[in-house]
């Protein structure tokens, strides 16, 4: 969501900052949709970076949908020219594909501690979801 906002601002600036003296009237200040609203299941998000899950540990309520968002084409020494593949693989067998972009979603319907790791990078790239 943050990336979308940044992109929107950048595009608006491309077309709107050319000679108006830097007017700030176009700033997006509208309401922000909160996770866990009345009509939506609670949700949370984790970023899959090139060496870690961020945050690596997260505590959520039972019924929460957790989304992993691959962010693996930035932060590399080639300035975003390469994308590294990762997976979200739980100890209980649930797994995403090994992929270099995209998302993975799991909804946690039972309390417990769910450890996961990346198949490619093993224990060096691991995380935990605590559901209570
Ligand atoms: Cu990995």
């Amino acid at each position: 969501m943050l990336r979308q906002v940044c992109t929107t601002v950048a595009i608006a600036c491309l077309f709107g900052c050319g000679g108006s003296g830097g007017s700030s009237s176009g700033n997006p200040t509208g309401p922000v949709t909160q996770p866990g609203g009345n009509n939506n299941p609670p949700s949370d998000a984790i970023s899959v970076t090139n060496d870690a899950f961020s945050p690596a540990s997260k505590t959520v309520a039972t019924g929460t949908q957790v989304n992993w968002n691959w962010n693996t084409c930035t932060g590399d020494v080639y300035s975003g020219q390469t994308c590294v593949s990762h997976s979200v693989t739980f100890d209980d067998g649930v797994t995403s594909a090994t992929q270099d972009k995209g998302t993975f979603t799991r909804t946690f319907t039972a309390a417990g501690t769910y450890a996961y790791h990346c198949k490619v990078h093993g224990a060096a790239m691991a995380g935990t979801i605590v559901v209570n």
Side-chain angles (χ1 to χ4, degrees), residues 48-53 84-87 118-122 125:
V48 181
T49 72
N50 276 334
D51 57 4
F53 299 104
V84 179
S85 292
H86 305 281
S87 74
C118 167
K119 273 188 208 172
V120 178
H121 298 103
M125 185 173 173

Side-chain angles (χ1 to χ4, degrees), residues 36-60:
N38 288 339
N39 297 321
N40 300 313
S43 65
D44 220 322
I46 294 173
S47 180
V48 181
T49 72
N50 276 334
D51 57 4
F53 299 104
S54 179
S57 179
K58 185 166 273 290
T59 300
V60 301

Side-chain angles (χ1 to χ4, degrees), residues 21-40:
S23 166
S24 63
S25 62
N27 280 352
T29 55
V32 174
T33 302
Q34 296 294 333
N38 288 339
N39 297 321
N40 300 313

Side-chain angles (χ1 to χ4, degrees), residues 88-95 106 113-118 122-123 126-128:
V88 172
T89 301
F90 285 88
D91 290 359
D92 66 9
V94 175
T95 185
R106 182 174 184 182
T113 299
Y114 298 81
Y116 65 95
H117 64 277
C118 167
T128 304

